[in-house]
């Protein structure tokens, strides 16, 4: 009997009726100790993610959340602060949080399992109290001794907190039956993981005195996005794409992370960081490694992370001549006038810190040699956009020599990470009519059109993975160090130079030098940073 699958259209699930293909099982019983519990990260992302896990039924039934902070809060005040933050998310109608009310039952279940420890994170007395709080959680909530220590604190405290946890015996995993630990202890560390190669190596060496690599979860919220996680599925589950995913068919790759926001009152932090440190060795290199990795033997965490590490190891340090930096001046985004970076609170009036960075790098292996990867990130740009754009080599022109076709535009495969998650493929077709005339068209996939929205702030998958002990989406020590190694020459060169800042207007697409960086390679150009249809794209100008 003939195969008739080609005759049957694929049915699009209706978002309002579609159900997940399977339900995740609740994670292992555990306590989560949240250092920096009264901070912005805890209020806006970590605790809302835990709440969403509770709503979806995958937060452990036996769970306790222990907040740790230096302030004078108690558990009741902390609960109210967190509840108010949830209400603000609902009121804002955030496209990511995606909820129109607070589930009273889910919130009550989470709130009643909260505790609070107040104290100085650098003092041993705090960790003695914490040991007592964990024992109480084990007795009251049956956490079985399992614990996650989440460091939502300033990066200067990462080493000291881990040192104190080790000295207090809080991260030890005593042996149980069959050689397995009696219970597990895991530590989640936010970025930035170091400020350069030397500091990253020092931090790795420091925390590995108290922890094993298997206990460390270096978190990058970019990797919690569905589109990012689906890159491997897109490549390796579809026989159509993997055979052309190489230097024979791909001309170049562009990875963009553009933001319309500025430093948002974080001038003091940004003055010691800058765009290159803030985004490149973690976010952008995470995306690059997923695009460029070799097929793993399995989707086991060790196999996937090994292939991602191999890609980073194959990237030579970037020549500073292949890097461009910028700093935004005053300008207009949408209907609002925006200040120059140097006029932001906490910023030096003669600051030479970059708010924009663009790099050209190459991967020295059999699959990718000769294929340039262009990376860019910046603040106060024309639109918010994070995407991976893969440009394929142009088809031979000879067959069209005696036709009216005067050029063959390139094919683009674009993976959109934000704000409208999806994948598009651009290719050429013949227009209707007697004349052979080509027109570009797109095949478009959008997550919101095919799958129901679920409440998500970007941390839910990552927190669940920590609870079940799956490190696939987390950076290994060598991966972090490779990231810093690659950009170290640029950091050194920029540290010595005195740039002519500002060099791009707020609301533009970045400095003119970024266009020159990509244009010098055979006239290539950046894909435009998209604006909403109602807005007019500002012209480039030197601020």
């Amino acid at each position: 009997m003939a195969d008739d699958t080609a005759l049957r259209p694929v049915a699009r699930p209706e978002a309002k009726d579609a159900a997940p293909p399977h339900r995740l099982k609740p994670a292992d019983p555990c306590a989560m100790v949240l250092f920096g519990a009264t901070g912005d990260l805890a209020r806006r992302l970590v605790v809302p993610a835990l709440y969403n896990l509770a709503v979806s039924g995958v937060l452990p039934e036996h769970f306790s959340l222990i907040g740790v902070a230096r302030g004078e809060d108690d558990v009741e005040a902390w609960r109210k602060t967190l509840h108010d933050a949830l209400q603000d998310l609902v009121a804002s109608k955030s496209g990511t949080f995606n909820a129109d009310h607070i589930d009273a039952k889910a919130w009550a279940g989470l709130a009643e399992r909260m505790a609070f420890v107040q104290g100085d994170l650098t003092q041993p007395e705090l960790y003695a109290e914490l040991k007592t709080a964990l024992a109480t959680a084990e007795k009251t909530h049956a956490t079985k001794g399992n614990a996650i220590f989440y460091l939502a604190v300033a990066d200067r405290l990462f080493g000291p907190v881990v040192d104190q946890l080790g000295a207090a015996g809080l991260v030890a995993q005593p042996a149980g039956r069959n050689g397995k630990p009696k219970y597990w202890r895991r530590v989640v560390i936010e970025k930035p993981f170091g400020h350069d190669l030397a500091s990253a190596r020092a931090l790795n060496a420091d925390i590995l005195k108290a922890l094993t690599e298997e206990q460390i979860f270096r978190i990058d919220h970019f990797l919690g996005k569905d589109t990012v996680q689906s890159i491997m599925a897109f490549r390796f589950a579809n026989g159509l794409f993997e055979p052309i995913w190489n230097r024979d068919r791909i001309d170049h790759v562009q990875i963009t992370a553009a933001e319309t926001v500025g430093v948002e009152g974080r001038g003091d932090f940004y003055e010691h960081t800058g765009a290159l440190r803030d985004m490149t060795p973690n976010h952008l290199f995470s995306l690059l490694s997923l695009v460029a990795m070799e097929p793993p033997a399995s989707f086991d965490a060790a196999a996937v992370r090994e292939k991602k590490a191999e890609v980073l190891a194959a990237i030579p340090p970037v020549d500073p001549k292949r890097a461009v930096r910028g700093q935004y001046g005053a300008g207009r985004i949408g209907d609002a006038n925006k200040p120059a970076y140097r006029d932001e609170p906490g910023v030096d009036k003669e600051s030479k810190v970059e708010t924009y960075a663009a790099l050209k790098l190459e991967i020295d292996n059999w699959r990718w040699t000769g294929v340039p990867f262009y990376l860019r990130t910046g603040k106060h740009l024309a639109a918010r956009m994070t995407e991976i754009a893969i440009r394929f080599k142009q088809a031979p022109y000879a067959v069209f020599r005696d036709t009216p076709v005067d050029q063959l535009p390139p094919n683009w495969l674009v993976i959109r990470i934000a704000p409208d998650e999806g994948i598009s493929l651009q290719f050429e077709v013949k227009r209707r009519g007697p004349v052979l005339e080509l027109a570009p068209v797109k095949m478009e996939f959008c997550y919101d059109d095919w799958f129901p929205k679920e409440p998500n702030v970007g941390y839910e998958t990552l927190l669940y993975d920590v609870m079940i002990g799956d490190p696939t989406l987390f950076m290994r020590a060598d991966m972090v160090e490779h990231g810093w190694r690659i950009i170290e020459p640029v950091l050194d060169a920029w540290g010595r130079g005195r740039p002519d800042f500002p060099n791009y207007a707020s609301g533009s697409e970045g400095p003119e030098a970024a266009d020159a960086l990509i244009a010098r390679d055979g006239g290539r150009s950046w894909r435009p940073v998209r604006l909403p249809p109602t807005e007019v794209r500002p012209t480039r100008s030197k601020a």
Side-chain angles (χ1 to χ4, degrees):
M1 182 176 179
D3 183 1
D4 67 347
T5 54
L7 305 177
R8 298 197 301 267
V10 177
R12 182 177 74 85
E14 292 298 329
K16 62 182 181 180
D17 299 326
H22 64 273
R23 300 293 298 179
L24 296 174
K25 67 175 184 178
D28 297 339
C30 66
M32 176 182 282
V33 177
L34 182 55
F35 291 96
T38 57
D40 186 61
L41 177 63
R43 291 195 310 271
R44 289 191 308 107
L45 295 171
V46 179
V47 175
L50 291 172
Y51 162 80
N52 283 339
L53 291 177
V55 171
S56 61
V58 298
L59 192 71
E61 178 183 354
H62 302 291
F63 177 77
S64 176
L65 178 61
I66 303 171
V68 180
R70 191 168 186 167
E72 298 298 326
D73 287 23
D74 58 21
V75 68
E76 291 302 328
W78 187 47
R79 284 191 188 111
K80 183 180 186 307
T81 298
L82 297 176
H83 189 266
D84 290 346
L86 275 181
Q87 286 183 318
D88 289 343
L89 279 174
V90 171
S92 71
K93 301 188 183 300
S94 166
T96 55
F97 191 67
N98 189 38
D100 56 9
H101 69 282
I102 295 176
D103 186 313
K105 182 178 179 181
W107 170 253
L110 179 60
E112 70 182 9
R113 291 180 278 180
M114 292 181 181
F116 194 84
V117 177
Q118 185 273 331
D120 186 338
L121 272 60
T122 65
Q123 298 303 310
E125 294 79 11
L126 171 68
Y127 297 86
E129 290 187 43
L130 190 52
K131 182 176 288 188
T132 300
L134 284 168
T136 300
E138 184 174 3
K139 181 178 180 181
T140 305
H141 300 293
T143 58
K144 297 187 177 180
N146 299 324
I148 298 167
F149 300 94
Y150 196 116
L151 276 57
V153 296
D155 59 293
R156 68 177 183 278
L157 293 172
F158 292 165
V161 170
V162 172
D163 289 344
Q164 292 285 358
L165 289 171
L170 289 172
V171 289
Q173 300 182 131
R177 295 180 179 178
N178 302 322
K180 295 183 178 180
K182 183 179 179 182
Y183 51 77
W184 50 257
R185 297 290 167 96
R186 297 166 187 155
V187 177
V188 179
I189 301 180
E190 278 280 349
K191 75 174 186 73
F193 198 91
H195 291 271
D196 52 25
L197 180 57
S199 60
R201 284 175 171 167
L203 180 55
N204 274 327
D206 188 14
I207 64 176
L208 285 169
K209 294 175 183 176
L211 304 167
T212 65
E213 181 63 38
E214 289 71 25
Q215 291 178 277
I216 304 168
F217 289 74
R218 301 171 187 83
I219 197 167
D220 180 354
H221 72 271
F222 257 44
L223 295 182
K225 297 179 180 292
D226 284 322
T227 316
V228 175
Q229 296 175 57
S230 69
I231 293 172
M232 287 193 296
F234 179 78
R235 283 187 58 189
F236 304 132
N238 296 295
L240 176 64
F241 296 106
E242 185 58 21
I244 60 173
W245 210 267
N246 55 57
R247 59 192 170 101
D248 293 333
R249 295 290 179 264
I250 292 177
D251 178 77
H252 73 275
V253 178
Q254 297 182 23
I255 301 178
T256 299
E259 300 178 280
T260 54
V261 297
V263 294
E264 303 294 293
R266 299 187 307 149
D268 291 336
F269 162 79
Y270 213 78
E271 277 290 275
H272 296 91
T273 308
L276 186 63
R277 283 186 171 94
D278 188 39
M279 295 291 289
T280 306
N282 39 67
H283 296 334
L284 297 186
F285 282 177
S286 292
L287 297 180
L288 181 150
S289 63
L290 286 168
V291 170
M293 65 185 285
E294 292 297 315
S298 71
F299 284 133
D300 172 77
V304 171
R305 295 209 293 179
E306 186 62 33
K307 294 303 180 184
K308 290 166 66 177
E310 286 178 3
V311 169
L312 297 176
I315 301 175
V318 176
D319 184 338
K321 295 178 181 178
R322 295 182 171 184
V324 168
R325 57 177 162 170
Q327 185 188 94
Y328 62 80
R332 192 172 180 84
I333 301 177
D335 296 328
N337 292 320
K338 298 295 182 180
Y341 174 72
R342 291 177 176 180
D343 293 331
E344 300 273 16
V347 173
D348 189 323
K349 293 299 182 182
E350 297 184 357
S351 175
K352 62 178 185 178
V353 171
E354 80 283 355
T355 61
Y356 178 101
L359 306 172
K360 174 189 174 182
L361 51 82
E362 295 183 350
I363 302 172
D364 191 12
N365 64 17
W366 284 102
R367 182 182 291 264
W368 295 111
T369 188
V371 177
F373 283 70
Y374 300 99
L375 280 58
R376 60 176 169 166
T377 182
K379 291 185 175 295
H380 268 191
L381 296 179
R384 173 176 169 248
M385 182 185 83
T386 301
E387 71 172 28
I388 301 164
I390 298 161
R391 175 175 163 171
F392 292 92
K393 292 182 177 179
Q394 289 176 273
Y397 181 73
V399 69
F400 295 94
R401 186 175 296 133
D402 298 322
T403 74
V405 175
D406 57 2
Q407 63 177 341
L408 292 177
N411 303 125
W412 286 96
L413 175 67
V414 180
I415 301 170
R416 299 188 307 274
I417 310 299
D420 49 344
E421 293 182 299
I423 301 172
S424 67
L425 177 64
Q426 177 182 309
F427 55 93
E428 299 300 307
V429 299
K430 177 188 173 297
R431 291 183 184 273
R432 284 178 169 171
V435 178
L436 180 56
E437 185 179 0
L438 299 181
V441 297
K442 279 186 180 180
M443 295 179 67
E444 191 91 12
F445 157 69
C446 182
Y447 261 88
D448 288 348
D449 291 341
W450 280 79
F451 303 110
K453 284 188 175 182
E454 295 184 3
N456 192 306
V457 296
Y459 275 68
E460 288 81 358
T461 296
L462 300 171
L463 291 178
Y464 178 77
D465 284 351
V466 175
M467 292 174 184
I468 65 173
D470 183 351
T472 304
L473 299 177
F474 298 84
M475 300 285 277
R476 220 168 55 184
D478 57 337
M479 297 164 67
V480 171
E481 293 178 13
H482 279 308
W484 288 115
R485 173 190 58 79
I486 294 165
I487 65 170
E488 185 173 44
V490 180
L491 290 173
D492 291 344
W494 287 2
R496 294 189 299 268
R498 297 196 63 81
D500 183 16
F501 281 165
N503 63 353
Y504 72 95
S506 294
S508 70
E509 296 198 23
E512 293 177 355
D515 289 338
L517 172 71
I518 193 171
R520 72 178 65 141
D521 294 336
R524 295 185 179 110
S525 61
W526 295 106
R527 286 172 52 81
V529 175
R530 297 189 306 274
L531 282 172
T534 56
E535 295 186 11
V536 178
R537 185 177 307 287
T539 57
R540 287 188 184 279
S541 64
K542 197 173 178 69

